[in-house]
Amino acid sequence: MKQDIEFNKNEDSMRQLVDALKNKLNKVAEGGGKKNADKQKEQGKLLARERIEYLIDKDSDFIEIAALAADGMYEEYGGCPSAGVVTGIGYVSGRQCMIVANDATVKAGAWFPMAGKKNLRAQEIAMENRIPIIYLVDSAGVFLPMQDEIFPDKEHFGRIFRNNAMMSSMGIIQIAAIMGSCVAGGAYLPIMSDEAMIVDKTGSIFLAGSYLVKAAVGEDIDNETLGGATTQCEISGVTDNKFPNDKAALDHIKNIFSKIGQYEKAGFNRIKSRKPKLNEKDIYGLIPTEASKQYDMYEVIARLVDDSEFDEYKDKYGQSIICGLARIDGWSVGIVANQRKVVKSKKGEMQFGGVIYSDSADKAARFIMNCNQRKIPLVFLQDVTGFMVGSRSEQGGIIKDGAKMVNAQANSVVPKFTIIIGNSYGAGNYAMCGKAYDPRLIVAWPTAQLAVMGGSQAAKVLLQIQVSAEKAKGKVVSKEDEEELLKKITDRYTSQTSPYYAASRLWVDAIIDPLDTRKWISMGIEAADHSPIKKEYNVGVIQV
């Protein structure tokens, strides 16, 4: 059958994309390479990911946030795998928490601009969800050649310490272990935590190292005497306890978490989890190899939700967006998804898949408001090319209805989770809860594409602009020149729509295997359940 051939073709393509993703993640996990890793081992230290592995509960889930941060960036400095810091949500003594671990194999754990942004994202997740945060510190401080891009601005390095203070006032637990260098401004991070421990002989903390002290005040002193474990635990009292090695310090953190009291819950509805009735692995064959092709989003939803059960809202109205209630790993969720099939409207008109029409926007806005009223977390499944354009749409009030949808979800007080499956273009990205609209977690499948508009359309627009500019200078642009320029523009634009481009800049928290989607949503809601909803839902003024 033709459908079977298409399914197999899609499945092969998705498997290749997932394999490429896993290979990329394995490469990133090598950090600064074997030579630097061996050097750290010689000092008796564990590597960043080994520290996390030892710390978290055995056989428990861990979702790594921003593993691909800084991918392809800072090449002039030899690159900065994973932005030199490992972050993620895991379980310590049964308690869900955020973990931040500097990777000293990458430029001695120095803070590049993306390292700062990644740390701030980790703190943001901890603050939004009120989950504890653990810092495993091993860093040489700010990467000086790029200090102007990390030091003085609002969302730069100093914001980290501001967040330390804010989390303390919010009652969010912060525990820090100094397991290597902790220098200059970075020294405030562990000391502004609730408890700071240090590893003897390998950990050190000071505002200025021995070389700077010599230059500044003429004092000759070694780093261990200046700010080692004995000095900071027994003389200054800056750190609370010292430990003989990494594992002993990590064991102490486990003990702390084993004695923490219960937290107030938001109370999101959860029952016993059930797997989807339909085979989850079918997702690989359902998503087309080409972003412009149609597929049925109902089939995808049926392989993501418990028992493959989905209670649809307004199923005959605004059919280019699917809305409804379901359960994911037992959690009650409201799903807002773009339908990728061509469908018929209530007036018998054909609606293109992936496009948001006035009736769809109106339906989605109402559904989002209902979920907020009922305290049900929202899941957005994005494959959207934008809002419908043209005279009929404008006369039908597409801007007003689009604004209504954006308003409803921007003011949402229940936690939101965004999965970018395919296209994520223009205002469609905003309406379907893109990064600018504060999803608790936002992840992409390897098939995702993020841009202000599709590659072919954008390239043609950019070509027209450049050709017009050349002609204005009196230059003759041949057909061959136009084709060469179009290819150059298309290649550049296409590379910028890649999910890897987005992940490297933290526009998404991760690129994931589609089969991990349920785990990400479930752990995300579990984290959100730590933070009771205090704010009343109010959408302000909406034109109806």
Short mmCIF file of all heavy atoms in Angstrom, two decimals, residues 304-366:
data_model
loop_
_atom_site.label_atom_id
_atom_site.label_comp_id
_atom_site.label_asym_id
_atom_site.label_seq_id
_atom_site.Cartn_x
_atom_site.Cartn_y
_atom_site.Cartn_z
N LEU A 304 0.49 9.43 22.45
CA LEU A 304 1.13 10.17 23.55
C LEU A 304 0.34 10.09 24.85
O LEU A 304 0.91 10.24 25.93
CB LEU A 304 1.29 11.65 23.17
CG LEU A 304 2.32 12.00 22.09
CD1 LEU A 304 2.28 13.51 21.80
CD2 LEU A 304 3.73 11.60 22.52
N VAL A 305 -0.97 9.86 24.76
CA VAL A 305 -1.83 9.97 25.95
C VAL A 305 -2.19 8.60 26.51
O VAL A 305 -2.23 7.60 25.79
CB VAL A 305 -3.10 10.79 25.65
CG1 VAL A 305 -2.73 12.19 25.16
CG2 VAL A 305 -4.00 10.10 24.63
N ASP A 306 -2.46 8.57 27.81
CA ASP A 306 -2.81 7.33 28.50
C ASP A 306 -4.03 6.67 27.86
O ASP A 306 -5.04 7.34 27.57
CB ASP A 306 -3.12 7.62 29.97
CG ASP A 306 -1.89 8.03 30.75
OD1 ASP A 306 -0.85 8.32 30.13
OD2 ASP A 306 -1.96 8.08 32.00
N ASP A 307 -3.94 5.36 27.67
CA ASP A 307 -5.03 4.56 27.09
C ASP A 307 -5.45 5.04 25.71
O ASP A 307 -6.50 4.61 25.20
CB ASP A 307 -6.25 4.55 28.02
CG ASP A 307 -6.29 3.33 28.90
OD1 ASP A 307 -5.64 2.33 28.55
OD2 ASP A 307 -6.97 3.36 29.94
N SER A 308 -4.70 5.96 25.12
CA SER A 308 -5.04 6.58 23.83
C SER A 308 -6.41 7.23 23.87
O SER A 308 -7.11 7.35 22.86
CB SER A 308 -4.97 5.55 22.70
OG SER A 308 -3.67 5.00 22.60
N GLU A 309 -6.81 7.71 25.06
CA GLU A 309 -8.12 8.34 25.24
C GLU A 309 -7.99 9.86 25.21
O GLU A 309 -7.13 10.43 25.88
CB GLU A 309 -8.74 7.91 26.57
CG GLU A 309 -9.20 6.46 26.59
CD GLU A 309 -9.87 6.09 27.90
OE1 GLU A 309 -9.89 6.94 28.83
OE2 GLU A 309 -10.36 4.96 28.01
N PHE A 310 -8.88 10.49 24.44
CA PHE A 310 -8.83 11.94 24.25
C PHE A 310 -10.25 12.48 24.20
O PHE A 310 -11.05 12.10 23.33
CB PHE A 310 -8.08 12.26 22.94
CG PHE A 310 -7.92 13.72 22.65
CD1 PHE A 310 -7.19 14.55 23.48
CD2 PHE A 310 -8.50 14.28 21.51
CE1 PHE A 310 -7.03 15.89 23.19
CE2 PHE A 310 -8.35 15.62 21.22
CZ PHE A 310 -7.61 16.43 22.06
N ASP A 311 -10.58 13.35 25.16
CA ASP A 311 -11.93 13.96 25.21
C ASP A 311 -11.86 15.31 24.51
O ASP A 311 -11.37 16.29 25.09
CB ASP A 311 -12.38 14.15 26.66
CG ASP A 311 -12.43 12.83 27.41
OD1 ASP A 311 -12.80 11.82 26.80
OD2 ASP A 311 -12.08 12.82 28.61
N GLU A 312 -12.38 15.35 23.29
CA GLU A 312 -12.20 16.55 22.48
C GLU A 312 -13.19 17.65 22.81
O GLU A 312 -14.35 17.40 23.15
CB GLU A 312 -12.28 16.20 20.99
CG GLU A 312 -11.81 17.34 20.11
CD GLU A 312 -11.60 16.94 18.66
OE1 GLU A 312 -11.86 15.78 18.32
OE2 GLU A 312 -11.19 17.82 17.87
N TYR A 313 -12.73 18.88 22.67
CA TYR A 313 -13.53 20.08 22.89
C TYR A 313 -13.86 20.70 21.54
O TYR A 313 -12.97 20.94 20.72
CB TYR A 313 -12.72 21.06 23.75
CG TYR A 313 -13.32 22.43 23.94
CD1 TYR A 313 -14.37 22.63 24.83
CD2 TYR A 313 -12.82 23.54 23.26
CE1 TYR A 313 -14.92 23.89 25.04
CE2 TYR A 313 -13.35 24.80 23.45
CZ TYR A 313 -14.40 24.97 24.34
OH TYR A 313 -14.94 26.22 24.54
N LYS A 314 -15.15 20.96 21.28
CA LYS A 314 -15.62 21.59 20.03
C LYS A 314 -15.01 20.91 18.79
O LYS A 314 -14.35 21.55 17.96
CB LYS A 314 -15.27 23.08 20.03
CG LYS A 314 -16.10 23.94 20.97
CD LYS A 314 -15.69 25.41 20.85
CE LYS A 314 -16.57 26.31 21.70
NZ LYS A 314 -17.90 26.53 21.14
N ASP A 315 -15.24 19.61 18.67
CA ASP A 315 -14.59 18.84 17.60
C ASP A 315 -15.02 19.24 16.20
O ASP A 315 -14.29 19.01 15.23
CB ASP A 315 -14.80 17.34 17.82
CG ASP A 315 -16.27 16.95 17.77
OD1 ASP A 315 -17.11 17.75 18.24
OD2 ASP A 315 -16.58 15.86 17.28
N LYS A 316 -16.19 19.85 16.07
CA LYS A 316 -16.68 20.22 14.73
C LYS A 316 -16.43 21.69 14.39
O LYS A 316 -16.85 22.18 13.35
CB LYS A 316 -18.20 19.94 14.63
CG LYS A 316 -18.58 18.48 14.82
CD LYS A 316 -18.09 17.64 13.64
CE LYS A 316 -18.66 16.24 13.68
NZ LYS A 316 -18.11 15.41 14.76
N TYR A 317 -15.77 22.39 15.29
CA TYR A 317 -15.57 23.83 15.11
C TYR A 317 -14.08 24.15 15.15
O TYR A 317 -13.32 23.60 15.95
CB TYR A 317 -16.29 24.58 16.24
CG TYR A 317 -16.17 26.08 16.22
CD1 TYR A 317 -16.85 26.85 15.27
CD2 TYR A 317 -15.38 26.76 17.16
CE1 TYR A 317 -16.75 28.23 15.26
CE2 TYR A 317 -15.28 28.13 17.16
CZ TYR A 317 -15.97 28.87 16.20
OH TYR A 317 -15.86 30.23 16.19
N GLY A 318 -13.64 25.05 14.25
CA GLY A 318 -12.25 25.47 14.25
C GLY A 318 -11.29 24.30 14.16
O GLY A 318 -10.39 24.16 14.98
N GLN A 319 -11.45 23.48 13.14
CA GLN A 319 -10.77 22.19 13.12
C GLN A 319 -9.29 22.23 12.77
O GLN A 319 -8.62 21.19 12.81
CB GLN A 319 -11.50 21.25 12.15
CG GLN A 319 -12.91 20.92 12.61
CD GLN A 319 -13.63 20.00 11.64
OE1 GLN A 319 -13.33 18.82 11.55
NE2 GLN A 319 -14.57 20.56 10.91
N SER A 320 -8.75 23.39 12.47
CA SER A 320 -7.30 23.43 12.21
C SER A 320 -6.50 23.47 13.52
O SER A 320 -5.28 23.38 13.52
CB SER A 320 -6.92 24.62 11.32
OG SER A 320 -6.97 25.84 12.03
N ILE A 321 -7.21 23.60 14.65
CA ILE A 321 -6.60 23.40 15.97
C ILE A 321 -7.43 22.37 16.72
O ILE A 321 -8.67 22.45 16.75
CB ILE A 321 -6.50 24.71 16.78
CG1 ILE A 321 -5.38 25.60 16.23
CG2 ILE A 321 -6.23 24.42 18.26
CD1 ILE A 321 -5.11 26.85 17.04
N ILE A 322 -6.75 21.40 17.31
CA ILE A 322 -7.40 20.36 18.10
C ILE A 322 -7.24 20.70 19.58
O ILE A 322 -6.13 21.00 20.03
CB ILE A 322 -6.75 18.98 17.82
CG1 ILE A 322 -6.90 18.61 16.34
CG2 ILE A 322 -7.35 17.91 18.71
CD1 ILE A 322 -6.02 17.44 15.92
N CYS A 323 -8.33 20.68 20.32
CA CYS A 323 -8.29 20.95 21.76
C CYS A 323 -9.00 19.81 22.49
O CYS A 323 -10.00 19.29 22.00
CB CYS A 323 -8.99 22.26 22.11
SG CYS A 323 -8.26 23.73 21.37
N GLY A 324 -8.50 19.45 23.64
CA GLY A 324 -9.18 18.42 24.41
C GLY A 324 -8.42 18.03 25.66
O GLY A 324 -7.28 18.44 25.88
N LEU A 325 -9.08 17.21 26.48
CA LEU A 325 -8.51 16.75 27.74
C LEU A 325 -8.03 15.30 27.61
O LEU A 325 -8.63 14.50 26.90
CB LEU A 325 -9.54 16.85 28.86
CG LEU A 325 -10.10 18.25 29.14
CD1 LEU A 325 -11.19 18.18 30.21
CD2 LEU A 325 -8.99 19.20 29.59
N ALA A 326 -6.95 14.99 28.31
CA ALA A 326 -6.40 13.64 28.29
C ALA A 326 -5.55 13.47 29.54
O ALA A 326 -5.50 14.35 30.41
CB ALA A 326 -5.56 13.42 27.03
N ARG A 327 -4.88 12.33 29.64
CA ARG A 327 -3.92 12.10 30.71
C ARG A 327 -2.58 11.68 30.11
O ARG A 327 -2.55 10.94 29.12
CB ARG A 327 -4.41 11.02 31.69
CG ARG A 327 -5.57 11.48 32.54
CD ARG A 327 -5.90 10.49 33.64
NE ARG A 327 -7.05 10.93 34.40
CZ ARG A 327 -7.01 11.79 35.41
NH1 ARG A 327 -5.84 12.28 35.82
NH2 ARG A 327 -8.11 12.15 36.05
N ILE A 328 -1.51 12.18 30.70
CA ILE A 328 -0.16 11.77 30.29
C ILE A 328 0.55 11.30 31.55
O ILE A 328 0.74 12.08 32.49
CB ILE A 328 0.59 12.92 29.60
CG1 ILE A 328 -0.06 13.22 28.24
CG2 ILE A 328 2.07 12.59 29.44
CD1 ILE A 328 0.56 14.37 27.47
N ASP A 329 0.92 10.03 31.59
CA ASP A 329 1.52 9.40 32.77
C ASP A 329 0.66 9.65 34.00
O ASP A 329 1.18 9.88 35.11
CB ASP A 329 2.95 9.92 32.98
CG ASP A 329 3.76 9.02 33.91
OD1 ASP A 329 3.45 7.82 34.00
OD2 ASP A 329 4.70 9.54 34.56
N GLY A 330 -0.65 9.60 33.83
CA GLY A 330 -1.59 9.77 34.93
C GLY A 330 -2.01 11.19 35.20
O GLY A 330 -3.05 11.44 35.82
N TRP A 331 -1.23 12.17 34.73
CA TRP A 331 -1.55 13.59 34.96
C TRP A 331 -2.66 14.05 34.02
O TRP A 331 -2.62 13.78 32.82
CB TRP A 331 -0.33 14.47 34.73
CG TRP A 331 0.80 14.29 35.69
CD1 TRP A 331 1.97 13.63 35.45
CD2 TRP A 331 0.89 14.78 37.03
NE1 TRP A 331 2.79 13.68 36.54
CE2 TRP A 331 2.15 14.37 37.55
CE3 TRP A 331 0.03 15.52 37.85
CZ2 TRP A 331 2.57 14.69 38.84
CZ3 TRP A 331 0.46 15.83 39.14
CH2 TRP A 331 1.71 15.42 39.62
N SER A 332 -3.62 14.79 34.54
CA SER A 332 -4.65 15.42 33.71
C SER A 332 -4.03 16.60 32.96
O SER A 332 -3.36 17.43 33.56
CB SER A 332 -5.79 15.91 34.60
OG SER A 332 -6.69 16.70 33.86
N VAL A 333 -4.24 16.64 31.65
CA VAL A 333 -3.69 17.73 30.83
C VAL A 333 -4.72 18.23 29.82
O VAL A 333 -5.60 17.48 29.40
CB VAL A 333 -2.42 17.31 30.06
CG1 VAL A 333 -1.30 16.95 31.02
CG2 VAL A 333 -2.70 16.16 29.11
N GLY A 334 -4.59 19.50 29.47
CA GLY A 334 -5.34 20.05 28.35
C GLY A 334 -4.40 20.16 27.17
O GLY A 334 -3.31 20.73 27.30
N ILE A 335 -4.79 19.61 26.04
CA ILE A 335 -3.92 19.60 24.85
C ILE A 335 -4.44 20.58 23.81
O ILE A 335 -5.64 20.60 23.48
CB ILE A 335 -3.83 18.18 24.25
CG1 ILE A 335 -3.11 17.25 25.23
CG2 ILE A 335 -3.11 18.19 22.91
CD1 ILE A 335 -3.06 15.80 24.79
N VAL A 336 -3.54 21.42 23.30
CA VAL A 336 -3.82 22.33 22.19
C VAL A 336 -2.82 21.96 21.08
O VAL A 336 -1.62 22.10 21.27
CB VAL A 336 -3.65 23.81 22.60
CG1 VAL A 336 -3.97 24.73 21.41
CG2 VAL A 336 -4.54 24.15 23.79
N ALA A 337 -3.34 21.48 19.96
CA ALA A 337 -2.45 20.95 18.91
C ALA A 337 -2.87 21.44 17.54
O ALA A 337 -4.07 21.56 17.25
CB ALA A 337 -2.47 19.42 18.94
N ASN A 338 -1.91 21.71 16.70
CA ASN A 338 -2.20 22.09 15.30
C ASN A 338 -2.52 20.84 14.50
O ASN A 338 -1.77 19.87 14.53
CB ASN A 338 -0.99 22.78 14.67
CG ASN A 338 -0.56 24.01 15.43
OD1 ASN A 338 0.49 24.03 16.05
ND2 ASN A 338 -1.37 25.05 15.40
N GLN A 339 -3.64 20.87 13.79
CA GLN A 339 -3.99 19.76 12.89
C GLN A 339 -3.27 19.97 11.56
O GLN A 339 -3.36 21.04 10.96
CB GLN A 339 -5.51 19.71 12.67
CG GLN A 339 -5.98 18.71 11.63
CD GLN A 339 -5.56 17.27 11.91
OE1 GLN A 339 -4.38 16.94 11.90
NE2 GLN A 339 -6.54 16.42 12.16
N ARG A 340 -2.54 18.97 11.11
CA ARG A 340 -1.76 19.11 9.90
C ARG A 340 -2.50 18.62 8.64
O ARG A 340 -1.99 18.75 7.54
CB ARG A 340 -0.44 18.37 10.04
CG ARG A 340 0.60 19.13 10.86
CD ARG A 340 0.88 20.49 10.29
NE ARG A 340 1.09 20.46 8.86
CZ ARG A 340 2.06 21.05 8.21
NH1 ARG A 340 2.93 21.76 8.89
NH2 ARG A 340 2.17 20.97 6.92
N LYS A 341 -3.67 18.06 8.82
CA LYS A 341 -4.47 17.65 7.65
C LYS A 341 -5.29 18.82 7.13
O LYS A 341 -5.66 19.72 7.89
CB LYS A 341 -5.44 16.53 8.04
CG LYS A 341 -4.83 15.14 8.06
CD LYS A 341 -5.85 14.12 8.53
CE LYS A 341 -7.01 14.00 7.55
NZ LYS A 341 -7.96 12.95 7.97
N VAL A 342 -5.60 18.80 5.83
CA VAL A 342 -6.57 19.74 5.29
C VAL A 342 -7.95 19.32 5.80
O VAL A 342 -8.32 18.15 5.72
CB VAL A 342 -6.55 19.74 3.74
CG1 VAL A 342 -7.68 20.59 3.19
CG2 VAL A 342 -5.22 20.27 3.23
N VAL A 343 -8.69 20.28 6.37
CA VAL A 343 -10.00 19.97 6.96
C VAL A 343 -11.06 20.92 6.41
O VAL A 343 -10.74 21.96 5.84
CB VAL A 343 -9.96 20.07 8.49
CG1 VAL A 343 -9.08 18.98 9.08
CG2 VAL A 343 -9.47 21.44 8.94
N LYS A 344 -12.33 20.56 6.63
CA LYS A 344 -13.43 21.42 6.21
C LYS A 344 -13.93 22.24 7.38
O LYS A 344 -14.07 21.73 8.48
CB LYS A 344 -14.60 20.56 5.69
CG LYS A 344 -14.51 20.25 4.20
CD LYS A 344 -15.80 19.60 3.74
CE LYS A 344 -15.72 19.27 2.24
NZ LYS A 344 -16.95 18.62 1.76
N SER A 345 -14.19 23.53 7.13
CA SER A 345 -14.73 24.39 8.18
C SER A 345 -16.23 24.16 8.29
O SER A 345 -16.82 23.43 7.49
CB SER A 345 -14.46 25.86 7.86
OG SER A 345 -15.29 26.28 6.80
N LYS A 346 -16.85 24.85 9.27
CA LYS A 346 -18.30 24.70 9.48
C LYS A 346 -19.09 25.21 8.27
O LYS A 346 -20.23 24.80 8.06
CB LYS A 346 -18.71 25.46 10.74
CG LYS A 346 -18.38 26.96 10.70
CD LYS A 346 -18.72 27.64 12.01
CE LYS A 346 -18.32 29.12 11.96
NZ LYS A 346 -18.62 29.82 13.21
N LYS A 347 -18.45 26.07 7.47
CA LYS A 347 -19.12 26.60 6.28
C LYS A 347 -18.81 25.77 5.04
O LYS A 347 -19.18 26.14 3.92
CB LYS A 347 -18.70 28.05 6.04
CG LYS A 347 -19.07 28.99 7.18
CD LYS A 347 -18.50 30.38 6.94
CE LYS A 347 -18.79 31.30 8.11
NZ LYS A 347 -18.14 32.61 7.97
N GLY A 348 -18.12 24.67 5.23
CA GLY A 348 -17.78 23.81 4.09
C GLY A 348 -16.54 24.25 3.35
O GLY A 348 -16.21 23.68 2.31
N GLU A 349 -15.84 25.26 3.89
CA GLU A 349 -14.62 25.73 3.22
C GLU A 349 -13.43 24.86 3.67
O GLU A 349 -13.37 24.40 4.80
CB GLU A 349 -14.35 27.19 3.59
CG GLU A 349 -15.47 28.13 3.16
CD GLU A 349 -15.41 29.47 3.89
OE1 GLU A 349 -14.67 29.54 4.90
OE2 GLU A 349 -16.11 30.40 3.47
N MET A 350 -12.47 24.70 2.77
CA MET A 350 -11.28 23.92 3.09
C MET A 350 -10.30 24.77 3.91
O MET A 350 -10.09 25.95 3.62
CB MET A 350 -10.60 23.44 1.80
CG MET A 350 -11.49 22.57 0.92
SD MET A 350 -12.28 21.20 1.78
CE MET A 350 -10.88 20.15 2.12
N GLN A 351 -9.74 24.17 4.94
CA GLN A 351 -8.75 24.84 5.76
C GLN A 351 -7.43 24.10 5.65
O GLN A 351 -7.38 22.88 5.78
CB GLN A 351 -9.19 24.90 7.23
CG GLN A 351 -10.41 25.77 7.46
CD GLN A 351 -10.70 25.98 8.94
OE1 GLN A 351 -10.16 25.29 9.80
NE2 GLN A 351 -11.55 26.94 9.25
N PHE A 352 -6.36 24.84 5.39
CA PHE A 352 -5.04 24.23 5.23
C PHE A 352 -4.50 23.74 6.57
O PHE A 352 -4.67 24.38 7.61
CB PHE A 352 -4.05 25.24 4.62
CG PHE A 352 -4.44 25.71 3.25
CD1 PHE A 352 -4.97 26.97 3.07
CD2 PHE A 352 -4.29 24.88 2.16
CE1 PHE A 352 -5.33 27.41 1.80
CE2 PHE A 352 -4.65 25.31 0.89
CZ PHE A 352 -5.17 26.57 0.70
N GLY A 353 -3.81 22.60 6.53
CA GLY A 353 -3.21 22.06 7.74
C GLY A 353 -2.08 22.94 8.25
O GLY A 353 -1.31 23.49 7.47
N GLY A 354 -2.01 23.10 9.58
CA GLY A 354 -0.94 23.88 10.20
C GLY A 354 -1.20 25.38 10.22
O GLY A 354 -0.38 26.13 10.75
N VAL A 355 -2.31 25.83 9.66
CA VAL A 355 -2.65 27.25 9.63
C VAL A 355 -3.72 27.53 10.69
O VAL A 355 -4.65 26.74 10.88
CB VAL A 355 -3.17 27.68 8.24
CG1 VAL A 355 -3.55 29.15 8.24
CG2 VAL A 355 -2.13 27.39 7.18
N ILE A 356 -3.59 28.64 11.40
CA ILE A 356 -4.57 29.01 12.41
C ILE A 356 -5.59 29.96 11.78
O ILE A 356 -5.23 31.02 11.27
CB ILE A 356 -3.91 29.69 13.62
CG1 ILE A 356 -2.87 28.76 14.26
CG2 ILE A 356 -4.96 30.08 14.66
CD1 ILE A 356 -2.08 29.39 15.39
N TYR A 357 -6.85 29.56 11.80
CA TYR A 357 -7.96 30.38 11.28
C TYR A 357 -8.68 31.06 12.44
O TYR A 357 -8.45 30.73 13.62
CB TYR A 357 -8.93 29.51 10.50
CG TYR A 357 -8.38 28.97 9.19
CD1 TYR A 357 -7.51 27.89 9.18
CD2 TYR A 357 -8.72 29.56 7.98
CE1 TYR A 357 -6.98 27.41 8.00
CE2 TYR A 357 -8.20 29.08 6.78
CZ TYR A 357 -7.33 28.00 6.80
OH TYR A 357 -6.80 27.52 5.62
N SER A 358 -9.56 31.99 12.12
CA SER A 358 -10.27 32.75 13.16
C SER A 358 -11.04 31.84 14.10
O SER A 358 -10.98 31.99 15.33
CB SER A 358 -11.23 33.76 12.52
OG SER A 358 -10.53 34.88 12.02
N ASP A 359 -11.78 30.88 13.54
CA ASP A 359 -12.58 30.00 14.41
C ASP A 359 -11.68 29.13 15.29
O ASP A 359 -12.00 28.85 16.44
CB ASP A 359 -13.55 29.16 13.59
CG ASP A 359 -12.90 28.38 12.45
OD1 ASP A 359 -11.67 28.48 12.26
OD2 ASP A 359 -13.63 27.66 11.72
N SER A 360 -10.52 28.70 14.75
CA SER A 360 -9.59 27.88 15.53
C SER A 360 -9.00 28.68 16.69
O SER A 360 -8.88 28.18 17.81
CB SER A 360 -8.46 27.39 14.64
OG SER A 360 -8.95 26.68 13.54
N ALA A 361 -8.63 29.94 16.41
CA ALA A 361 -8.07 30.80 17.45
C ALA A 361 -9.10 31.06 18.54
O ALA A 361 -8.78 31.04 19.74
CB ALA A 361 -7.59 32.12 16.84
N ASP A 362 -10.34 31.29 18.14
CA ASP A 362 -11.43 31.52 19.09
C ASP A 362 -11.63 30.30 19.98
O ASP A 362 -11.75 30.41 21.20
CB ASP A 362 -12.71 31.86 18.33
CG ASP A 362 -13.91 31.98 19.24
OD1 ASP A 362 -13.95 32.93 20.05
OD2 ASP A 362 -14.81 31.11 19.16
N LYS A 363 -11.65 29.12 19.36
CA LYS A 363 -11.83 27.87 20.12
C LYS A 363 -10.69 27.66 21.11
O LYS A 363 -10.91 27.33 22.28
CB LYS A 363 -11.93 26.68 19.16
CG LYS A 363 -12.02 25.34 19.86
CD LYS A 363 -12.24 24.19 18.90
CE LYS A 363 -10.98 23.69 18.26
NZ LYS A 363 -11.21 22.44 17.50
N ALA A 364 -9.46 27.83 20.64
CA ALA A 364 -8.29 27.61 21.49
C ALA A 364 -8.29 28.56 22.69
O ALA A 364 -7.97 28.16 23.82
CB ALA A 364 -7.01 27.78 20.68
N ALA A 365 -8.67 29.83 22.45
CA ALA A 365 -8.71 30.81 23.54
C ALA A 365 -9.69 30.37 24.62
O ALA A 365 -9.40 30.42 25.83
CB ALA A 365 -9.09 32.18 23.01
N ARG A 366 -10.86 29.92 24.19
CA ARG A 366 -11.88 29.48 25.15
C ARG A 366 -11.41 28.25 25.93
O ARG A 366 -11.62 28.14 27.13
CB ARG A 366 -13.19 29.15 24.42
CG ARG A 366 -13.86 30.37 23.81
CD ARG A 366 -15.11 29.95 23.05
NE ARG A 366 -15.71 31.08 22.38
CZ ARG A 366 -17.03 31.29 22.32
NH1 ARG A 366 -17.86 30.45 22.90
NH2 ARG A 366 -17.52 32.33 21.67
#
